[in-house]
Amino acid sequence: MIAEALGDVAQLVDRVEALAPAMDEARQALDQTSAALARQAEAFERRMSALAENAQTLAVRHIARRTAALTRESMDAQSRAMADAARALFAAEIHPALQHLALPLRQMVARMNRPWLTWLSHAATAVVSSIITSAVILYLGLE
């Protein structure tokens, strides 16, 4: 039984001694895998950094385009509001004043369309002044 136990211990020692090279191979494989993983992690980190930088660039471009579009829309809306305000101001303030100023011009144009009326007025004035002058001369001459 002792011999059998010693045989079992010898087999166990042989197995442990055989296990050392296998463990050394496993450690080397683990070291290689670790180095390969580190290289892949570095490459992955570079790709992720490039991807993040690209995403940031695209986001900044999008923000710039949207800001420019909103600025244009705001400027257009402000221009329309200013034009509407100017039209309202013109209709409320300037249009009545222009109508007031245009009334005498319309009357003058109406008179110009009837020139005979002006000459008739002058002729009537000349006739009346001639009659009055004649009457004054006759009155002074009779006395």
Side-chain angles (χ1 to χ4, degrees), residues 101-117:
L101 291 173
L103 183 62
L105 291 174
R106 284 192 193 115
Q107 291 171 348
M108 192 178 351
V109 167
R111 273 188 263 137
M112 296 302 273
N113 287 338
R114 296 179 304 217
W116 58 268
L117 190 58

Side-chain angles (χ1 to χ4, degrees), residues 23-78:
M23 286 182 69
D24 191 39
E25 287 177 21
R27 183 193 54 79
Q28 286 176 356
L30 185 60
D31 286 344
Q32 290 173 354
T33 303
S34 174
L37 187 58
R39 285 190 305 274
Q40 289 176 354
E42 288 174 8
F44 179 73
E45 187 175 322
R46 283 192 304 272
R47 285 193 308 259
M48 289 305 292
S49 177
L51 183 64
E53 187 175 329
N54 187 34
Q56 182 180 8
T57 302
L58 291 176
V60 167
R61 285 181 188 163
H62 175 72
I63 290 169
R65 278 194 309 269
R66 280 303 292 152
T67 301
L70 289 174
T71 301
R72 280 191 304 276
E73 291 171 9
S74 176
M75 287 174 58
D76 290 344
Q78 189 174 14

